[in-house]
Amino acid sequence: MATKVNIRDVAKAAGVSVTTVSHALSETHSSRVNARTVEHIKAVAGDLGYAPNRLASGLRNQRSQILGLVSDEITTTPFAGAMIQGAQDAASEHGHLLMVVNSGLDNELEKHEIRALKQHQVDGIIYARMYNQLVSVPEELQGMPTIVLDATTDNPELSSVVPDEFGAGESAAGLLVEAGHRRIGMINNEDDIPAAHGRLAGFRAGLERHGLGLGPGQLVSAHPSTAGGREAAFRLLSRADRPTALFCFNDQMAMGAYQAAGHLGLTIPADLSVVGVDNLELIADGLWPGLSTVALPHYEMGRWAVLQLLAELENPETPRAHESSSCPLVVRDSVAPPRG
């Protein structure tokens, strides 16, 4: 029967002390060891098949090295993969497991899930929402290290991360103006949420930077769906002074704008340029021509949330942070200079 490799075996093979091996293989203390030595020790440990005893380590520092992620509907949306992957990658890199639970907007189920995570002795919890919104964090999380993901809260003691909604609108305006458009409309979400306000404010600022404005007749709000976008686009594109470009609150509304343009005999991008938000590949890549859009940074936000949580677990005095994660433009073929 093969003998299990222990930390003393690694130290002997690497020609260093047990303490040095312990520090080198610790996410918390590896900075105390020369980087080349850390690399050497990890290589030796890998060759020997050594795996640190995470349970023993957890008992020593009173940590389970398990993090919880509580979501509303994230796991049932197209956003789930990237957001959870970002959180999971960051957790794994730092020797932690990530437990994900989904409440489906059931408050009682959410409370039950939080209690279950506590029973599993998770070190901290990421409280995640499907879209940027203002939330009241459940009382069950009181006293538990918590990061709010894709939402904000009125509790300044909780760090949070959201997309840079203002920047998303500003980038969309810049793309359309730089293409030569001067009559630009916007189809916004009718719901009273931070994303609708932030994207509109950023879009206005982007236009104003180029000496343009967004008049009442160039802005229509509707339900944030394909049908809502189609109805709003009909209203804007049926005007005598119709816009030559549209910025849509999300990719679904942009798809509705494509449908309205086609019904009215307009060609994209020759007669109408369109920009969305989300970068939902099934829509953005599936439309013809491909939709230029502003990507929401789901992976980056998930990763940031875990790294911030780990920092606060390591040092409770870590300043609480409220991050706005940048939203990159993804340029495809739906934007071109206006005719004439």
Side-chain angles (χ1 to χ4, degrees):
M1 182 179 294
T3 303
K4 185 176 180 180
V5 176
N6 61 42
I7 193 170
R8 291 181 179 82
D9 298 323
V10 177
K12 182 177 180 180
V16 297
S17 70
V18 170
T19 300
T20 300
V21 173
S22 177
H23 285 170
L25 299 180
S26 165
E27 296 294 342
T28 302
H29 302 299
S30 61
S31 61
R32 299 181 183 180
V33 183
N34 178 279
R36 297 181 73 175
T37 303
V38 170
E39 190 174 323
H40 170 62
I41 291 171
K42 286 184 176 180
V44 171
D47 290 341
L48 295 177
Y50 172 72
N53 187 332
R54 297 295 183 187
L55 177 59
S57 175
L59 290 173
R60 285 194 300 271
N61 59 25
Q62 296 185 323
R63 299 265 183 85
S64 67
Q65 293 183 286
I66 301 173
L67 306 177
L69 189 151
V70 180
S71 79
D72 49 3
E73 296 178 294
I74 290 174
T75 59
T76 61
T77 71
F79 309 132
M83 188 177 286
I84 293 174
Q85 189 67 55
Q88 187 169 330
D89 284 352
S92 177
E93 289 167 13
H94 290 78
H96 287 67
L97 293 176
L98 183 71
M99 295 182 64
V100 180
V101 295
N102 192 73
S103 70
L105 297 176
D106 183 327
N107 290 335
E108 289 306 312
L109 177 58
E110 181 176 84
K111 293 176 183 178
H112 172 77
E113 289 173 335
I114 292 171
R115 288 194 292 268
L117 289 173
K118 285 183 171 181
Q119 288 170 359
H120 280 82
Q121 302 295 312
V122 298
D123 296 328
I125 288 178
I126 296 167
Y127 188 69
R129 302 290 88 178
M130 184 178 70
Y131 63 87
N132 184 3
Q133 57 194 276
L134 179 65
V135 297
S136 294
V137 174
E139 291 182 4
E140 285 74 15
L141 289 176
Q142 187 171 358
M144 168 67 69
T146 302
I147 305 294
V148 179
L149 171 57
D150 205 8
T152 54
T153 175
D154 54 7
N155 184 349
E157 294 302 310
L158 298 182
S159 295
S160 60
V161 56
V162 295
D164 180 4
E165 308 287 8
F166 185 94
E170 195 172 35
S171 294
L175 178 64
L176 294 172
V177 172
E178 288 167 13
H181 293 277
R182 294 296 178 266
R183 295 200 312 275
I184 306 173
M186 179 177 177
I187 299 175
N188 201 10
N189 187 346
E190 65 185 5
D191 297 332
D192 184 14
I193 59 173
H197 298 300
R199 292 175 199 178
L200 174 57
F203 191 62
R204 286 189 187 278
L207 292 178
E208 289 170 1
R209 183 169 292 107
H210 293 86
L212 302 174
L214 185 65
Q218 296 171 305
L219 173 65
V220 177
S221 296
H223 186 268
S225 62
T226 300
R230 183 172 59 244
E231 178 186 342
F234 269 125
R235 290 171 58 185
L236 286 167
L237 299 177
S238 297
R239 295 170 56 95
D241 58 344
R242 70 166 183 83
T244 61
L246 289 176
F247 170 48
C248 301
F249 173 81
N250 63 20
D251 291 349
Q252 286 180 286
M253 300 185 92
M255 183 161 63
Y258 269 55
Q259 294 172 354
H263 184 80
L264 294 170
L266 300 174
T267 301
I268 295 172
D271 301 309
L272 178 71
S273 289
V274 181
V275 177
V277 176
D278 280 339
N279 194 33
L280 289 177
E281 291 192 12
L282 285 175
I283 295 177
D285 270 342
L287 288 171
W288 183 261
L291 175 66
S292 293
T293 186
V294 185
L296 293 181
H298 292 108
Y299 180 91
E300 292 78 10
M301 291 193 299
R303 184 177 180 83
W304 185 94
V306 165
L307 294 178
Q308 180 66 23
L309 179 56
L310 292 175
E312 293 179 15
L313 286 169
E314 180 64 26
N315 178 11
E317 300 303 315
T318 298
R320 298 317 185 240
H322 305 286
E323 178 78 0
S324 291
S325 191
S326 61
C327 304
L329 268 173
V330 180
V331 179
R332 295 188 176 90
D333 298 319
S334 63
V335 176
R339 284 186 174 178

